[in-house]
Amino acid sequence: MVETGRVHPSLVLVLLLICVLMQSSVNALNDYFDFVKGVDSEGDNLEADDAALVYSNVSPRSALAFAVALLAAAFLLGVYVIWVAGWAPLAIAVVGAAVVFAYSAGKTPISYLPIGEAVSGIVMGCLIMVACYYSLTLTFGWEVVAWSLPLVLQIGLIMMTNNTCDIEKDVEAGRRTLPVLLGRPKSVVAYRCIVAADYLAVLAVVLAWFSAGAVMLPFLALLSLPLAMNVWKCPFDQASRIQAMSLVTSFNAYMGCTYCVCILASAA
């Protein structure tokens, strides 16, 4: 809206649904493969409403079919996006779908490697944003990649939260995630650096491209400090996993809204 002065409501809604469906698909696939490999159990501090295979006697085959159906639904909705914006978004979607499967499936899934945070951040934070921006504006510039940096960091934080809390569980499962390699003390330090980098990324992008909206930054930063401090103090161990995931998703939602407010204020 800031760049073009217009909004395409139906396309925005379809793009949002595609993002939700693809995210739901990768979550369902990850839960499926973790369950069949014996990684998830009732002793892993999982929320009952977020671990249906563990607590609700759901058929693994049904879960796999559901995950594939979610991905198929995303591609069917993508037909509308292709009709409006051409074939470019499809190319990005194919890459995203490949990562969805590679993240959890295969002999050596991405989730078992120390690149999970980077891959998920780049795909969900950058590629999805680039695809959506192109679909809505039919233009592309490398500055769009720079604009995605705060989102890349925020998605990476979610993965870092999960993997840091699950270090002991992942060691038993044979995973070599980044926190497993670093150990918890260094992982917590790295985590705090990413939180600080997220603030700096929002500041840098707003000042460089949307400077008129920078007037909102001091107020929004002050309001976010209590939430940021709770994230900062979290021990990120197995016992605090549920709390940690709640904190990071709340922090991301707040930072995302802050980013949007600053960009919108730049055009006010």
Side-chain angles (χ1 to χ4, degrees):
M1 186 174 73
V2 171
E3 291 290 298
T4 66
R6 65 182 185 276
V7 176
H8 197 315
S10 61
L11 186 55
V12 168
L13 179 60
V14 169
L15 289 167
L16 175 61
L17 287 173
I18 290 172
C19 292
V20 171
L21 287 167
M22 291 190 75
Q23 167 63 16
S24 300
S25 177
V26 74
N27 276 356
L29 283 171
N30 197 51
D31 287 348
Y32 167 79
F33 285 107
D34 278 354
F35 181 77
V36 297
K37 291 176 181 177
V39 176
D40 283 345
S41 66
E42 291 186 21
D44 293 324
N45 291 293
L46 301 170
E47 291 182 279
D49 60 359
D50 193 35
L53 285 167
V54 176
Y55 293 102
S56 303
N57 197 31
V58 174
S59 164
R61 182 175 295 181
S62 297
L64 178 61
F66 178 61
V68 174
L70 289 170
L71 195 59
F75 270 83
L76 287 174
L77 285 173
V79 172
Y80 173 65
V81 179
I82 294 169
W83 179 65
V84 173
W87 292 98
L90 177 62
I92 298 175
V94 169
V95 174
V99 173
V100 165
F101 279 97
Y103 186 83
S104 301
K107 186 176 180 180
T108 308
I110 292 173
S111 63
Y112 277 62
L113 302 173
I115 57 172
E117 289 82 0
V119 171
S120 59
I122 291 170
V123 171
M124 297 179 64
C126 182
L127 289 185
I128 286 178
M129 177 179 169
V130 169
C132 291
Y133 183 85
Y134 180 86
S135 301
L136 291 165
T137 64
L138 299 181
T139 60
F140 171 78
W142 287 106
E143 67 274 9
V144 182
V145 176
W147 298 345
S148 73
L149 181 57
L151 308 182
V152 171
L153 293 170
Q154 288 160 24
I155 297 298
L157 274 177
I158 293 177
M159 299 306 303
M160 193 76 170
T161 302
N162 185 69
N163 289 340
T164 303
C165 291
D166 286 348
I167 286 177
E168 292 80 8
K169 171 185 165 184
D170 288 341
V171 169
E172 291 180 9
R175 282 177 167 163
R176 294 183 62 81
T177 64
L178 182 61
V180 167
L181 296 182
L182 292 176
R184 181 164 283 110
K186 290 183 179 178
S187 294
V188 172
V189 172
Y191 190 97
R192 291 172 177 173
C193 290
I194 298 173
V195 170
D198 189 30
Y199 275 101
L200 293 175
V202 171
L203 176 65
V205 172
V206 170
L207 289 177
W209 283 281
F210 309 101
S211 56
V215 66
M216 302 298 297
L217 283 172
F219 305 102
L220 295 169
L222 286 173
L223 289 173
S224 73
L225 281 179
L227 183 58
M229 290 305 298
N230 286 334
V231 172
W232 197 275
K233 294 175 183 177
C234 185
F236 297 104
D237 53 20
Q238 191 67 32
S240 66
R241 182 181 184 278
I242 294 174
Q243 176 196 13
M245 292 301 291
S246 176
L247 284 172
V248 73
T249 50
S250 297
F251 176 76
N252 281 358
Y254 192 92
M255 291 301 292
C257 288
T258 295
Y259 195 26
C260 288
V261 166
C262 291
I263 293 173
L264 289 171
S266 71

